[in-house]
Amino acid sequence: HYEIILERLKREFGQEVIAAQPSVLFEIFNKKGKVQKIFSPSLFPDKHEISKTQEPLLDTEMIVPKEYAGEALKLIQNFGGEVGSFANLTSDRVKILGRLPLREFIEGFFDRLKSLTRGFGSLNYKIAGYKEADLVRMDVLINNEIVPAFSRVISESKSFRLAKETVDKLANLLPRAVFSYKIQARVGGRILAARSMAASRKDVTGY
């Protein structure tokens, strides 16, 4: 439904929508041993305030044509997951069990599965509890101001890549203004990626 709504807004009303990432419920253990449940990424504490972070996991069951099994296995790993088991169901179909973070899953796992299997892959999933994870908050700054809707909770190991991808994507989507401004991605006080947006030129020719 998410993708359908965005597409209808674009086709029927000519509106380009920049949609914020969905989020999940994190369990944060602070230095004093207290537990916080955080849903909004913009409220996720800085790393130095955290002793432990836990995030929700999903158990997944995929049934795919055997010719796409290798790509399906890579997909689980690319989304931060682990392959549990692999079994042949028929001569041309296999079942793959996996476990991956819900945080990663909601960023397009099912769409990618459908795409790589040409629509022939199926998926079942269920919540599988919580697991400790090394996570950080990534903030996006527009003209040196944090935009809370663009904040994300990400794996620290992927922070440089995701910062660059986020900045590049926003640079292609955000309009130019009559003044120049910067788009920056920041993690833990460090700017990991930045793009400068040039000011739009004013038409003084009268044409």
Side-chain angles (χ1 to χ4, degrees):
H1 293 91
Y2 172 79
E3 291 82 4
I4 293 172
I5 291 171
L6 294 183
E7 186 63 26
R8 288 193 63 185
L9 286 170
K10 181 178 180 180
R11 289 185 179 182
E12 298 178 21
F13 300 97
Q15 297 293 317
E16 290 283 356
V17 178
I18 301 174
Q21 292 283 350
S23 187
V24 301
L25 188 66
F26 300 97
E27 291 185 348
I28 310 296
F29 295 77
N30 65 22
K31 298 292 186 179
K32 297 180 180 179
K34 293 184 178 180
V35 182
Q36 293 176 280
K37 293 184 182 293
I38 302 291
F39 181 78
S40 173
S42 64
L43 300 178
F44 195 89
D46 291 331
K47 187 173 182 179
H48 70 270
E49 301 174 9
I50 300 172
S51 63
K52 184 172 69 172
T53 302
Q54 294 192 148
E55 66 174 339
L57 300 175
L58 285 184
D59 279 338
T60 61
E61 178 188 271
M62 297 187 294
I63 298 177
V64 302
K66 186 173 290 187
E67 62 191 285
Y68 301 119
E71 292 299 318
L73 293 172
K74 290 180 183 178
L75 182 66
I76 294 174
Q77 295 168 348
N78 290 342
F79 275 74
E82 300 176 348
V83 177
S85 65
F86 181 99
N88 292 312
L89 293 181
T90 65
S91 60
D92 60 352
R93 299 185 75 80
V94 299
K95 179 171 73 172
I96 303 170
L97 300 182
R99 174 170 287 186
L100 66 154
L102 176 59
R103 167 183 53 83
E104 296 266 11
F105 178 85
I106 62 178
E107 293 192 6
F109 182 88
F110 184 63
D111 289 340
R112 290 281 299 278
L113 175 65
K114 282 294 185 181
S115 176
L116 70 86
T117 61
R118 305 296 188 270
F120 292 106
S122 64
L123 174 72
N124 289 312
Y125 58 87
K126 62 181 180 180
I127 296 293
Y130 277 72
K131 180 182 179 181
E132 187 173 350
D134 191 9
L135 306 175
V136 292
R137 185 187 75 248
M138 181 177 72
D139 291 319
V140 173
L141 294 80
I142 307 295
N143 201 26
N144 297 315
E145 294 288 337
I146 294 177
V147 182
F150 292 157
S151 294
R152 295 171 62 186
V153 177
I154 61 175
S155 294
E156 187 170 23
S157 62
K158 297 181 179 180
S159 56
F160 281 96
R161 177 176 63 81
L162 292 176
K164 186 178 186 306
E165 288 178 359
T166 299
V167 167
D168 289 344
K169 185 174 183 179
L170 287 173
N172 291 326
L173 291 174
L174 293 177
R176 289 188 176 184
V178 294
F179 53 88
S180 61
Y181 64 93
K182 286 185 178 180
I183 304 171
Q184 300 168 304
R186 185 176 71 187
V187 173
R190 296 176 58 199
I191 301 297
L192 301 187
R195 288 277 297 270
S196 294
M197 302 291 286
S200 59
R201 294 184 178 181
K202 187 175 182 181
D203 184 1
V204 296
T205 64
Y207 296 98

